[in-house]
Amino acid sequence: MSDLTDRYVWAVLRAVPGDQRAGLEPEIRALVADAIEAHGEAESADAGERAALTELGDPDALAARYIGRPRYLIGPELYPTWRRLVGLILPIVVATAIVATVGAAWLGGQPSNRLVGTAVTAGINVAVQLLFWFTLAFAVLERAGHPSFGEQWSPDRLPELPRPSAPSVVEIALSVTGLVIGVLALVWQQDARPITIDGQSYPLLDGSLWSLWIPWFLAVVGLQCGLTLLRWARGGWTVPLATANLALNVAFLIPVLKLGQDGRLFDPGLVAALGRHGMTSALYPATVVIAVMAVVGTAWDVTNAFRQARRGRRPDETASPAA
Amino acid sequence: MDFDDILSAARQELRRGTVVLACLLVLRTPGYGYALLEELRGLGFAVDANTLYPLLRRLETQRMLVSEWNTQETRPRKFYRTSPEGERLAAELLADWGQVDASVRSLGQGGHP
């Protein structure tokens, strides 16, 4: 026996619990010796030893088989649960983290052109962290034993067939993109001051709104993003989702209308400049038209959500028992 | 994947479950690990050393095999022998094997059991 055999035996034993080592060591040495002997008849001693150890294979694999430890991270019983939970939680957590981080960075005065980078970094960080810790937890469960955790599958868990009204990926992507563009436009108009009158440039909205109302609107928009993703996950509108949609729309529309009525919505400098050009009279009807359009649009969106939620219900939920 | 690969994979699958039974039957006469490995391979069981040895140890802890260190020869060797419990298990498995054999044969001849 040479150095190679000793190293092999050590490599097996180190992967075995201490109380089993003493019993296992002579056994493995005997196995190796027998294999060497059998190979040694045809080959040189060195080559025989090599062939014998190669035959026994990876010492970690051998040790794992001896102690019956799983040789995988997450086995077939836990894997479906792992996948379902990751699929459910990852999008929600990543979306929330992106909204929160970007919101914080932006309240902290980060220039808007760097917010996209912040969003991407935050998304990747959270996704990697979540996957790592989640997988680690499941790997521990796999080894600690999971008598009751492996959830019993039953036909109740079958997913619904896609509804005719189920939103497509494109529709969802467009919705989310629209909301993100809205947020960026809100930031951009303050930053770039796009309206120029008499050589003086103005933002569209009153800068003092940043202390409360614009962050409020951004939070609402962020929640709307989450709601859109949830709607996608559920395969369409449901009554709770439609109710949340109603709440978010109200949370957006009422403050906008109130601020508009109080004349606090637009930048005062802009209003004054328009007034110098005799356009204040035009501003009021324009605001009314926009407000009416917003109310009508919101009402349509909310009722449409409820209608689709009701239509999307399964027959057994809507059917009333025959008297 | 050509036919030979498919055949060898299917054949390995077919024989895998029979290794326990083969061990119990072979070890009615005491034997040590490497000799058993050679014998099983000679009989056409595709079994790896790093599968067989842990399997022997497991069967021992389950009391289907008993072991004894033989120190009479030049080197100490661990000899395994099928225990009475192991005989019982082998008899049950052998009966199963007979049933499977009969079923497969009757299917092969186009009949239905």
Side-chain angles (χ1 to χ4, degrees):
Chain A
M1 290 219 192
S2 79
D3 183 41
L4 218 51
T5 301
D6 287 336
R7 278 160 60 197
Y8 188 87
V9 171
W10 181 77
V12 175
L13 293 179
R14 70 170 173 178
V16 167
D19 56 339
Q20 295 184 32
R21 278 182 203 156
L24 214 49
E25 174 159 7
E27 195 170 328
I28 292 169
R29 283 195 185 277
L31 294 175
V32 174
D34 282 337
I36 292 175
E37 194 178 270
H39 282 280
E41 287 163 11
E43 304 156 59
S44 73
D46 265 10
E49 186 177 29
R50 280 193 163 273
L53 295 180
T54 308
E55 194 180 22
L56 280 171
D58 186 340
D60 283 328
L62 183 62
R65 285 198 166 119
Y66 262 113
I67 58 183
R69 180 182 291 166
R71 298 193 300 139
Y72 38 77
L73 208 54
I74 297 170
E77 280 177 27
L78 282 183
Y79 175 72
T81 312
W82 176 87
R83 236 194 93 161
R84 259 199 297 273
L85 283 177
V86 166
L88 182 70
I89 293 172
L90 193 67
I92 297 174
V93 171
V94 168
T96 312
I98 288 177
V99 170
T101 316
V102 168
W106 166 66
L107 286 175
Q110 192 178 76
S112 52
N113 54 2
R114 282 174 49 203
L115 287 177
V116 174
T118 307
V120 172
T121 315
I124 291 174
N125 272 343
V126 167
V128 169
Q129 289 275 346
L130 186 94
L131 279 174
F132 172 78
W133 291 110
F134 222 79
T135 307
L136 182 72
F138 269 77
V140 170
L141 265 183
E142 181 70 59
R143 278 146 190 78
H146 43 84
S148 63
F149 189 81
E151 33 176 1
Q152 191 69 38
W153 188 88
S154 87
D156 296 334
R157 303 183 56 95
L158 284 172
E160 293 297 321
L161 288 176
R163 303 174 192 185
S165 64
S168 69
V169 181
V170 177
E171 190 189 331
I172 293 298
L174 281 178
S175 296
V176 173
T177 312
L179 291 170
V180 170
I181 288 176
V183 168
L184 293 179
L186 206 57
V187 179
W188 170 79
Q189 60 82 28
Q190 208 74 43
D191 213 38
R193 298 174 162 263
I195 304 165
T196 306
I197 299 170
D198 297 334
Q200 178 87 28
S201 33
Y202 304 97
L204 181 63
L205 301 180
D206 189 345
S208 67
L209 293 176
W210 284 90
S211 60
L212 172 64
W213 284 112
I214 291 186
W216 168 267
F217 292 136
L218 288 175
V220 171
V221 170
L223 288 172
Q224 262 165 347
C225 272
L227 187 69
T228 308
L229 291 174
L230 211 56
R231 172 159 68 98
W232 184 43
R234 292 285 152 78
W237 287 110
T238 63
V239 174
L241 289 183
T243 313
N245 184 53
L246 168 68
L248 287 177
N249 270 302
V250 169
F252 194 93
L253 190 63
I254 300 293
V256 168
L257 293 179
K258 181 80 177 111
L259 289 170
Q261 197 191 11
D262 295 351
R264 286 173 54 204
L265 198 55
F266 299 110
D267 185 63
L270 176 65
V271 175
L274 288 173
R276 284 197 296 280
H277 286 77
M279 285 170 74
T280 320
S281 55
L283 206 57
Y284 180 71
T287 311
V288 170
V289 168
I290 291 171
V292 169
M293 278 169 65
V295 170
V296 170
T298 303
W300 188 84
D301 183 59
V302 167
T303 49
N304 186 47
F306 274 110
R307 223 175 28 156
Q308 288 200 12
R310 221 177 22 234
R311 199 171 16 167
R313 270 190 185 176
R314 277 163 290 162
D316 62 352
E317 283 176 24
T318 46
S320 51
Chain B
M1 226 191 192
D2 65 3
F3 184 77
D4 285 346
D5 292 340
I6 298 171
L7 174 64
S8 95
R11 181 175 276 160
Q12 205 176 338
E13 200 124 314
L14 186 64
R15 293 186 178 182
R16 184 176 297 149
T18 61
V19 172
V20 169
L21 178 56
C23 284
L24 292 170
L25 294 177
V26 171
L27 290 173
R28 284 164 159 171
T29 48
Y32 61 94
Y34 198 80
L36 178 65
L37 184 70
E38 297 279 82
E39 186 164 358
L40 289 179
R41 279 182 179 166
L43 291 169
F45 291 95
V47 56
D48 285 329
N50 61 9
T51 312
L52 180 66
Y53 300 147
L55 172 68
L56 291 176
R57 199 178 167 82
R58 198 189 80 210
L59 287 172
E60 188 193 352
T61 55
Q62 292 171 341
R63 299 179 194 289
M64 297 297 127
L65 298 175
V66 289
S67 76
E68 203 174 358
W69 281 94
N70 182 332
T71 49
Q72 314 267 303
E73 293 171 52
T74 47
R75 261 203 328 279
R77 277 179 177 142
K78 195 178 188 183
F79 273 71
Y80 290 97
R81 184 167 48 80
T82 306
S83 72
E85 273 290 279
E87 288 283 358
R88 238 185 76 201
L89 180 65
E92 292 282 343
L93 291 178
L94 212 51
D96 270 25
W97 178 257
Q99 263 177 19
V100 170
D101 180 61
S103 304
V104 170
R105 271 176 204 284
S106 112
L107 284 175
Q109 286 157 7
H112 285 281

